Amino acid sequence: MTNSPYVRAALAQVVLDNVPPLIRRTLLDQLAFREEYGFKTEAVLAFGDSGFSIQRSDLFQAVRTVLAGACEAEVTDTDGRAWMLRNESGREIQPNLVVSSGEHRLVLPDFAVLSQDSAIRLRSLVEAASDVNLPVSAQDAWRSILTERALEDDEVDPFHSDIRDTPVHLERSIRREITAGHSSVSSLVPSSRRYFERLVGVYDGSASIRGYAAGAGHKFMQKLSAWRPYEGFLFSLFLSSHAALTAEIGVDYLGSDDLVRAYDFIQNHGDILSRLGAIEVGLRILTERPEIEPYVLRLVHRIRDDDVEAAAGEFKLFAASFVLVDGELSRTRLMSKEPPFYRRLASLAQAALIHRQLVQCGIDRDSFCEWAFNNRGEQYYMQSLADMRTEPRWNPDLAAALQMKADFFGRIMIASRNFEKNIGAGELRDLALGDGPGTLHALSEFPRPYFPGPLEGAEDSPNDLPDDLTRVIEAQLDTDEVEPSSFVALVNSAMVFKVTSGQAELAAKALRLGNYRLANVEEKSQLLGILNGLATVAAVARNPVLADELRILVRRYRHDAQYGLPIEEAMRICLVASGSRDHLTEWREFAGQWLTELAFSELEGDEGEVLHSHLHCLLQAVPELWVSCARADAALKAYCSR
Amino acid sequence: MTTTETAELKAIRESILRVRMSDWLQLPKEAPWLDKTLKAYIRVLKNLWKDGADISEVTARSNWIADQVDVRGWAHSLGPENGDNVVLIGRGAHILLLLTPPTDTQQDIVDAYWGWMEERILGPIREQFPELYVWLVEWHRRQIAEMAATELTEGVAT
């Protein structure tokens, strides 16, 4: 014998009452669960700061009554106050619902999806979907319901949530919040995977940004263009964090007026990433669309002339926005299963979206930058160091405004060379391809423009090490007296050229022969430069031997009387060198042992607190590290509460 | 509100931390010690939430205990495979102990406990470890299904 549906529901209700409210709500949000036990849900709707809150079923019943043709319907809010609901659409087909009570008047959101008229429901869907560029798959899902029937009470919020979870809607919401003078990390960086997929496309399993750009990126750009050519172009530019992506931005559907209008917008109200993308696209299409040349020139000027040190600098603001977004995505672990390049693509696009709203609203940029770094700087930094396991050629310091500007210079110079035939004689050519005063080349600090970009950490350098440089590296490392200069050529080559594992082994051998001591160290910054550089060599060459020897060298200098290494530097070197191991198990073993050694070592001042805080962020980014770092966590907890 | 740790509490906390800092704990042989220790903490935590309790004070004390019962801190003793499992999903079984409300207390205390537990434990799990959250939700769904399927026997109340 089985229980009757009534008994089953009653028993389920008893258990449900003792379930944590959050889990209870999650279960009740699921249609299958509600249907299984015949549960109905009820909710109270509150409308911002209006003071109007009401039982959902009461309001929706009144909405249905009015949408069915009644002049008005009375509703009572949770405080017992009576409100009158009317449809004030006049001759418009789509309803415009307003509630009023005395002098209070409130326009309600679009509840046309509750109408019994399928034409009204579907028109509402089409308009909302077009307005926010709702993906076709989401449109289809709602259309299949709305064609058949009005939404149930508990389907209305998921519908509106779907509409809200779009870059178009978020842009407006961020601008509104900034104008009103209040904003938060969670409102700037949604914790919704669906949102980010609508911003940069759905990750398709590509191993590199180039693969992604040619696959999902290409399709995504096409959809943006098909939605609305002008707006789609402006949204495409948020994906300008790699030249392979801007190569996929098409302008075929944009007429001359709209193209000029878009370039004018980007020049005057755009974010700095979109400006770079507009330059790369512009250089590519210059022959067919010469009308944009003056805009491209002015965009290059704006990038060239930005002062990275100034409080109002564009690069500084963009770098801070990126750190904020990437740190938050690390904290929420929203993309913990995808490669870092995809998360960074999303972070850079969102940073550009935020940046575009900030420059239009006018804010205290210095305060924003400080707030961003204080809130998510540490999480960003630890996540980026952990990312070096799979993408060893990009490190968190490369997000500094100075390096970002250099990276932009590099991309503009490369694009200019690639499309040199499109650029006629004149200022643009001189600026991008010349080497006179004021040109990008003259203002570049070699080799910064040729460092890998944030999405290129997994790629080998395209540049083979020149033979003469190979000989210099070998000559420097073949020495009886091992000193910082012995490693200079190797270290300076690591970010620009392909460094082989054999060359890393030579460095490891030199460290051994020098008995883990560097002669003729002139100052601490020089020592730090070499140690960090060797860690980078170990990572990019995937050479565990050099990483092992470096660990001994760092141990040697950690408490050196003259050149002692702060704990933050030791931890950074440890995590960069850990990039020598790409397999998670080996990586966490190596990093964990080293971090545990640091945790148990003699700590000075606030080093224990600093290390524990950094470790906490690291464990958040890579929970698998608990297996090798739990002892370190315990030691630091004991130390910090001593 | 913050708590001031008494000498006894400090000694307890540090003695357990000392074990965690080392490789002393032999698992699975000594698993009962770890299990009983963590459960004792949780039992004490639940006992704090009694009728008439000062919620801000109880919250501060509960936060102190919650700091001590994160089973991930023992991952090194479990070995790589079991450690990974505990860190990612396996700790769900342990977290379930915190999800049951205190018993024999008035509803306002239960509600306050839910509020603390969701802010401190469950909310972050839902946001940052969605797979674990799904596991917890499914566990409760199964419990409800089992209970709903339990056949009631007829009897006479006395």
Side-chain angles (χ1 to χ4, degrees):
Chain A
M1 198 181 87
T2 55
N3 291 330
S4 68
Y6 174 78
V7 172
R8 289 184 75 245
L11 289 171
Q13 185 66 55
V14 170
V15 186
L16 199 58
D17 287 343
N18 284 294
V19 167
L22 195 60
I23 291 182
R24 197 184 309 156
R25 285 195 295 276
T26 304
L27 285 167
L28 289 171
D29 278 344
Q30 298 170 3
L31 179 63
F33 181 79
R34 291 198 307 271
E35 286 181 345
E36 191 171 351
Y37 301 105
F39 289 147
K40 298 253 183 240
T41 55
E42 185 52 283
V44 172
L45 302 178
F47 293 84
D49 302 328
S50 66
F52 178 59
S53 62
I54 186 170
Q55 288 286 333
R56 184 178 66 186
S57 56
D58 292 348
L59 178 66
F60 286 179
Q61 192 48 48
V63 167
R64 289 188 185 95
T65 304
V66 169
L67 291 179
C71 294
E72 56 186 26
E74 187 176 298
V75 290
T76 305
D77 69 14
T78 49
D79 293 331
R81 189 164 42 160
W83 295 71
M84 203 56 75
L85 174 70
R86 294 186 187 86
N87 181 2
E88 297 187 355
S89 63
R91 291 172 179 235
E92 299 288 323
I93 295 172
Q94 288 311 104
N96 177 30
L97 298 171
V98 176
V99 285
S100 55
S101 176
E103 293 179 354
H104 299 283
R105 188 172 183 279
L106 178 68
V107 178
L108 293 180
D110 181 7
F111 286 130
V113 286
L114 293 169
S115 170
Q116 292 307 306
D117 184 338
S118 66
I120 291 177
R121 294 195 303 264
L122 290 171
R123 184 188 294 266
S124 171
L125 171 66
V126 168
E127 286 183 0
S130 171
D131 181 42
V132 301
N133 189 24
L134 193 68
V136 172
S137 56
Q139 288 186 48
D140 288 347
W142 291 115
R143 185 176 292 109
S144 69
I145 297 172
L146 293 171
T147 302
E148 295 295 321
R149 59 172 172 82
L151 294 188
E152 303 285 348
D153 287 4
D154 46 25
E155 291 172 322
V156 174
D157 187 53
F159 174 76
H160 284 150
S161 164
D162 211 358
I163 300 293
R164 283 195 301 268
D165 236 0
T166 54
V168 174
H169 186 276
L170 194 79
E171 253 194 355
R172 294 171 187 159
S173 155
I174 289 176
R175 211 175 309 145
R176 211 168 33 241
E177 284 191 4
I178 294 170
T179 307
H182 57 81
S183 197
S184 64
V185 178
S186 60
S187 63
L188 291 172
V189 190
S191 58
S192 159
R193 188 182 178 80
R194 177 172 68 177
Y195 166 81
F196 282 99
E197 290 178 346
R198 291 170 180 181
L199 179 66
V200 298
V202 180
Y203 177 62
D204 62 354
S206 295
S208 72
I209 187 59
R210 291 174 206 282
Y212 181 78
H218 173 75
K219 288 180 192 151
F220 185 69
M221 304 283 193
Q222 282 186 322
K223 284 179 187 165
L224 281 173
S225 182
W227 165 53
R228 290 177 185 173
Y230 174 76
E231 286 89 348
F233 177 67
L234 294 179
F235 273 94
S236 297
L237 291 173
F238 287 143
L239 282 80
S240 298
S241 46
H242 197 277
L245 285 160
T246 56
E248 301 296 338
I249 299 176
V251 294
D252 294 346
Y253 294 106
L254 270 175
S256 181
D257 288 350
D258 274 347
L259 186 63
V260 167
R261 187 159 67 98
Y263 270 80
D264 188 63
F265 175 85
I266 291 298
Q267 179 192 304
N268 293 309
H269 309 292
D271 56 277
I272 202 151
L273 185 65
S274 295
R275 287 184 183 141
L276 173 64
I279 292 167
E280 287 183 333
V281 173
L283 291 170
R284 191 182 82 222
I285 63 171
L286 215 46
T287 309
E288 309 96 71
R289 314 295 280 268
E291 64 271 27
I292 58 167
E293 179 166 346
Y295 292 96
V296 173
L297 177 62
R298 284 196 286 272
L299 289 174
V300 178
H301 277 154
R302 290 203 66 156
I303 286 175
R304 182 196 65 178
D305 298 339
D306 186 67
D307 182 353
V308 294
E309 303 292 339
E314 301 279 358
F315 279 107
K316 191 176 172 189
L317 185 60
F318 181 62
S321 303
F322 168 59
V323 166
L324 178 78
V325 179
D326 208 47
E328 175 66 357
L329 290 183
S330 168
R331 190 190 69 80
T332 58
R333 301 176 36 76
L334 204 59
M335 298 175 186
S336 59
K337 292 202 164 51
E338 282 73 30
F341 78 79
Y342 179 73
R343 193 198 67 242
R344 285 194 199 125
L345 167 65
S347 299
L348 287 161
Q350 183 67 8
L353 185 146
I354 294 169
H355 190 192
R356 200 182 281 181
Q357 314 319 308
L358 294 177
V359 296
Q360 290 180 55
C361 294
I363 54 145
D364 178 348
R365 296 184 176 199
D366 238 11
S367 296
F368 177 84
C369 293
E370 190 182 344
W371 173 76
F373 284 117
N374 286 342
N375 272 280
R376 292 293 178 269
E378 185 182 17
Q379 187 64 44
Y380 156 80
Y381 205 87
M382 289 300 122
Q383 175 70 64
S384 301
L385 288 174
D387 290 340
M388 293 186 75
R389 176 177 72 81
T390 51
E391 302 192 1
R393 290 189 69 241
W394 198 81
N395 69 63
D397 294 327
L398 297 177
L402 179 69
Q403 176 53 35
M404 276 201 173
K405 183 172 179 178
D407 185 50
F408 278 35
F409 274 25
R411 281 179 57 183
I412 296 169
M413 289 190 286
I414 290 169
S416 299
R417 277 200 296 276
N418 289 344
F419 300 109
E420 188 173 352
K421 63 178 175 26
N422 296 354
I423 310 171
E427 191 181 351
L428 180 58
R429 189 177 189 86
D430 294 341
L431 185 60
L433 291 166
D435 56 8
T439 61
L440 299 185
H441 180 81
L443 294 170
S444 293
E445 183 190 333
F446 184 82
R448 285 185 172 276
Y450 302 100
F451 282 172
L455 309 188
E456 295 173 327
E459 296 180 7
D460 282 338
S461 168
N463 310 312
D464 287 324
L465 200 62
D467 289 342
D468 54 347
L469 196 49
T470 304
R471 283 192 290 275
V472 171
I473 288 172
E474 287 169 0
Q476 285 183 349
L477 291 173
D478 185 19
T479 174
D480 291 334
E481 190 170 53
V482 180
E483 53 185 21
S485 63
S486 310
F487 304 98
V488 166
L490 177 65
V491 162
N492 288 343
S493 302
M495 296 292 278
V496 182
F497 298 107
K498 272 183 206 156
V499 173
T500 65
S501 193
Q503 284 151 346
E505 298 261 357
L506 285 179
K509 186 177 164 195
L511 292 178
R512 270 195 307 276
L513 290 175
N515 202 22
Y516 307 102
R517 189 177 193 90
L518 302 181
N520 304 321
V521 175
E522 291 167 4
E523 54 185 337
K524 193 193 255 185
S525 62
Q526 180 198 32
L527 176 68
L528 280 173
I530 292 300
L531 294 176
N532 275 302
L534 286 173
T536 302
V537 172
V540 299
R542 297 291 198 191
N543 189 279
V545 178
L546 177 57
D548 291 344
E549 304 298 3
L550 190 59
R551 183 176 166 192
I552 299 171
L553 188 65
V554 169
R555 189 183 295 146
R556 155 75 186 78
Y557 278 104
R558 168 86 174 99
H559 294 291
D560 186 89
Q562 196 173 2
Y563 303 116
L565 304 175
I567 196 71
E568 283 186 288
E569 290 294 344
M571 185 179 191
R572 186 191 188 283
I573 295 165
C574 157
L575 290 170
V576 173
S578 299
S580 58
R581 278 89 168 161
D582 62 347
H583 193 277
L584 176 62
T585 309
E586 291 165 20
W587 175 83
R588 79 167 172 202
E589 195 61 29
F590 180 76
Q593 280 182 7
W594 195 338
L595 291 171
T596 303
E597 178 184 327
L598 292 175
F600 278 83
S601 70
E602 190 180 330
L603 300 167
E604 294 166 7
D606 66 349
E607 284 188 334
E609 285 78 7
V610 168
L611 184 57
H612 195 215
S613 177
H614 287 356
L615 182 63
H616 182 79
C617 291
L618 198 59
L619 290 167
Q620 177 68 15
V622 191
E624 291 87 348
L625 262 178
W626 273 105
V627 172
S628 60
C629 288
R631 287 180 59 220
D633 173 67
L636 290 167
K637 266 193 172 145
Y639 179 85
C640 293
S641 61
R642 67 196 186 283
Chain B
M1 179 180 278
T2 54
T3 49
T4 303
E5 204 175 41
T6 62
E8 289 95 333
L9 285 175
K10 187 170 191 281
I12 292 170
R13 179 178 58 76
E14 289 184 342
S15 65
I16 295 172
L17 264 183
R18 186 67 193 95
V19 179
R20 198 154 81 73
M21 283 164 61
S22 70
D23 291 322
W24 295 345
L25 188 66
Q26 301 298 304
L27 294 177
K29 201 170 70 180
E30 294 173 340
W33 175 84
L34 180 58
D35 189 53
K36 280 181 184 168
T37 302
L38 297 177
K39 281 180 176 162
Y41 267 129
I42 291 172
R43 195 166 55 247
V44 172
L45 188 153
K46 292 283 180 64
N47 286 339
L48 292 172
W49 297 82
K50 292 291 181 200
D51 290 345
D54 177 332
I55 298 302
S56 62
E57 187 184 318
V58 168
T59 298
R61 289 172 189 264
S62 297
N63 284 338
W64 184 91
I65 294 177
D67 278 340
Q68 322 303 320
V69 297
D70 189 342
V71 75
R72 291 176 299 183
W74 297 93
H76 62 298
S77 302
L78 301 165
E81 204 170 308
N82 289 336
D84 275 341
N85 179 45
V86 163
V87 164
L88 299 174
I89 297 288
R91 66 189 171 109
H94 185 71
I95 285 164
L96 284 172
L97 299 173
L98 290 163
L99 301 192
T100 53
T103 51
D104 301 326
T105 51
Q106 291 178 350
Q107 190 59 39
D108 60 333
I109 296 292
V110 172
D111 290 343
Y113 178 77
W114 289 138
W116 169 80
M117 189 275 295
E118 291 192 352
E119 185 184 337
R120 173 75 200 224
I121 312 283
L122 202 53
I125 288 175
R126 183 177 67 154
E127 181 188 54
Q128 298 153 23
F129 298 93
E131 288 172 1
L132 175 56
Y133 184 71
V134 167
W135 186 91
L136 291 168
V137 170
E138 286 307 308
W139 187 90
H140 281 93
R141 181 204 285 276
R142 283 195 304 275
Q143 287 295 110
I144 291 168
E146 278 177 28
M147 183 59 82
T150 304
E151 289 179 19
L152 295 183
T153 52
E154 287 186 24
V156 179
T158 55

